């Protein structure tokens, strides 16, 4: 079996899901950040026997040298080429790139595509999310029809991280009969989460730090997932940014609501915030960086979210 993998695409959660499939049952997993570490460190480790007495996995994240992005690390590509041309690898190597395109002009990309199992995980179009949900359930032996899968997406939301988390939760709940119904979705999904996040967002927009603290505390008591909170906060801040931009261009509230296809009340709340367009851009950048750093394992998700809220 070929123990070389290249997984790339814009959706890191789907990349991570593929990594989990490959590494399932393997205890010795070592991750390298190839955006700051040299490739020879990873390859040297790949040549060593696992302490656990079995195969190990070496994950090379941020393999920017495979794309057209600027790469500041002087990698030893001759070493990598020699490794790729060897056909007998006991240990597993996984290269990941959180971008949607490889630089096909590069010699190392051509060689890697020839020698490795290449998996492309692109962002899923919103219209394809019900099919994605059906596929995830059916692959594990669960029964769900298209109408119920569509309801699941509408109820849970369109964030893939959240969808995967809710799918896994539903699988545990329905382990006995394995047929997912609309009533199951109503029973398992927590609407209070959306209400609390709305209140948290409202507190942030009004810079009401007492409200922010109380809402965050309630969400933690409910054991809500920080990634879900960050995703919904990002959506709200993006909407507010778009509303502010359109307002500056002379659009009134009704025109903005029609253009963005949102309820007029959401436009009203967005216009009432004290955040400037510049402030909103900075917050969106912080949320993007926070999301990436959590998903790439650089920061604890709870600490990261708390730090974001404390420094608004």
């Amino acid at each position: 079996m070929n123990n070389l993998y290249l997984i790339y695409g814009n959706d890191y959660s789907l990349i991570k899901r593929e990594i989990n499939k490959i590494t399932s049952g393997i205890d010795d997993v070592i991750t390298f950040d190839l955006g700051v570490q040299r490739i020879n460190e990873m390859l040297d480790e790949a040549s060593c026997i696992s302490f656990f007495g079995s195969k190990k996995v070496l994950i090379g994240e941020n393999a920017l040298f495979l794309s057209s992005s600027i790469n500041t690390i002087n990698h030893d590509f001759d070493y990598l080429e020699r490794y790729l041309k060897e056909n007998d690898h006991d240990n597993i190597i996984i290269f990941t790139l959180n971008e949607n395109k490889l630089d096909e002009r590069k010699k190392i990309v051509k060689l890697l595509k020839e020698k490795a199992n290449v998996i492309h995980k692109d962002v899923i179009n919103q219209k394809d999310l019900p099919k994605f949900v059906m596929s995830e359930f059916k692959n594990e032996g669960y029964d769900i029809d298209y109408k119920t899968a569509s309801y699941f997406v509408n109820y849970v939301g369109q964030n893939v991280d959240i969808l995967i988390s809710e799918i896994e939760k539903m699988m545990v709940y329905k382990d006995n009969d394995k047929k997912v119904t609309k009533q199951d979705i109503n029973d398992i999904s927590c609407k209070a989460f959306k209400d609390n996040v709305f209140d948290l967002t409202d507190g942030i927009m009004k810079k009401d730090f007492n409200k922010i603290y109380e809402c965050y505390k309630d969400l933690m008591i409910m054991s809500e997932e920080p990634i879900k909170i960050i995703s919904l906060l990002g959506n709200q801040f993006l909407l507010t940014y778009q509303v502010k931009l359109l307002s500056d261009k002379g659009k009134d509230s009704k025109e903005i609501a029609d253009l963005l296809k949102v309820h007029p009340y959401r436009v009203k709340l967005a216009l009432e915030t004290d955040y400037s367009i510049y402030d909103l851009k900075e917050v969106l950048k912080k949320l993007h960086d926070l999301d990436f750093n959590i998903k790439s394992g650089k920061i604890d998700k709870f600490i990261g979210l708390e730090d974001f809220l404390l420094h608004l």
Side-chain angles (χ1 to χ4, degrees):
M1 178 183 175
N2 189 350
N3 284 335
L4 293 168
Y5 293 86
L6 167 59
I7 311 173
Y8 73 101
N10 281 334
D11 197 319
Y12 184 80
S13 60
L14 295 178
I15 292 175
K16 185 64 178 174
R17 196 159 173 77
E18 290 299 320
I19 292 173
N20 291 341
K21 290 177 184 177
I22 297 167
T23 60
S24 178
I26 300 175
D27 295 318
D28 198 354
V29 180
I30 305 170
T31 301
F32 294 82
D33 184 349
L34 298 180
V36 296
Q37 293 174 276
R38 286 183 168 81
I39 191 74
N40 60 295
E41 296 178 44
M42 180 178 174
L43 298 178
D44 287 344
E45 185 64 40
S47 302
C48 299
I49 298 172
S50 170
F51 287 119
F52 292 88
S54 57
K55 71 173 59 178
K56 60 182 172 182
V57 180
L58 296 306
I59 302 172
E61 295 187 331
N62 300 320
L64 298 173
F65 58 86
L66 299 175
S67 72
S68 56
S69 297
I70 295 174
N71 175 44
T72 58
I73 305 300
N74 185 23
H75 290 294
D76 187 347
F77 293 120
D78 289 337
Y79 188 1
L80 178 56
E81 285 182 25
R82 291 196 303 272
Y83 187 90
L84 293 176
K85 288 176 180 178
E86 295 173 4
N87 293 319
D88 187 19
H89 299 292
D90 291 328
N91 293 322
I92 298 171
I93 279 192
I94 304 171
F95 293 102
T96 73
L97 177 66
N98 199 188
E99 294 186 21
N100 207 37
K101 287 187 178 180
L102 303 172
D103 190 341
E104 306 283 351
R105 300 167 298 176
K106 293 181 177 178
K107 179 182 177 183
I108 196 65
V109 171
K110 293 176 181 177
L111 182 60
L112 194 56
K113 287 185 71 175
E114 178 187 331
K115 298 293 185 179
N117 301 293
V118 180
I119 303 171
H120 181 211
K121 305 305 293 186
D122 198 1
V123 174
I124 303 170
N125 290 329
Q126 291 183 4
K127 64 181 180 63
D128 294 327
L129 286 173
K131 292 181 181 177
F132 169 75
V133 169
M134 289 180 69
S135 174
E136 290 295 302
F137 276 116
K138 290 183 183 298
N139 286 343
E140 298 298 325
Y142 290 77
D143 183 23
I144 184 171
D145 58 38
Y146 184 84
K147 185 177 180 180
T148 306
S150 297
Y151 182 78
F152 185 88
V153 172
N154 290 331
Y155 198 94
V156 172
Q158 297 177 342
N159 181 279
V160 175
D161 283 316
I162 297 173
L163 280 170
I164 290 172
S165 175
E166 292 297 323
I167 288 168
E168 290 173 350
K169 186 201 302 183
M170 185 65 72
M171 286 180 180
V172 174
Y173 178 71
K174 297 295 292 184
D175 187 48
N176 289 330
D177 63 18
K178 297 188 182 299
K179 180 173 177 61
V180 181
T181 66
K182 180 179 176 180
Q183 188 59 50
D184 294 325
I185 297 166
N186 292 335
D187 290 342
I188 289 301
S189 298
C190 183
K191 283 189 175 181
F193 168 71
K194 295 176 184 176
D195 296 336
N196 275 281
V197 170
F198 179 83
D199 289 340
L200 175 63
T201 305
D202 185 54
I204 292 172
M205 292 299 171
K206 294 176 180 176
K207 299 188 178 180
D208 183 343
F209 292 99
N210 287 328
K211 186 173 185 178
I212 292 171
Y213 171 75
E214 290 300 323
C215 291
Y216 175 72
K217 186 174 68 174
D218 289 344
L219 287 164
M220 291 303 99
I221 290 171
M222 294 165 61
S223 299
E224 293 297 350
E225 177 59 44
I227 289 292
K228 294 166 79 174
I229 299 171
I230 292 166
S231 173
L232 290 172
L233 287 177
N235 290 339
Q236 183 59 42
F237 271 101
L238 178 59
L239 173 66
T240 305
Y241 175 70
Q242 292 171 326
V243 168
K244 289 269 190 175
L245 280 178
L246 290 170
S247 178
D248 278 5
K249 290 179 180 178
K251 303 292 184 184
D252 62 31
S253 296
K254 185 179 184 306
E255 288 177 308
I256 294 172
D258 289 341
L259 282 168
L260 298 179
K261 294 180 171 56
V262 296
H263 195 280
Y265 182 67
R266 295 186 70 191
V267 175
K268 177 177 178 293
L269 289 179
L271 290 171
E272 288 175 353
T273 180
D274 291 332
Y275 284 90
S276 67
I277 289 176
Y278 174 81
D279 290 335
L280 290 165
K281 283 180 69 175
E282 288 299 301
V283 171
L284 283 168
K285 183 178 183 303
K286 287 180 181 178
L287 282 168
H288 177 271
D289 291 344
L290 174 60
D291 183 66
F292 177 79
N293 287 333
I294 289 174
K295 290 176 180 177
S296 58
K298 294 179 180 178
I299 188 172
D300 177 82
K301 55 190 176 183
F302 294 101
I303 294 174
L305 178 57
E306 286 180 14
D307 184 68
F308 166 77
L309 294 174
L310 285 171
H311 292 90
L312 282 167

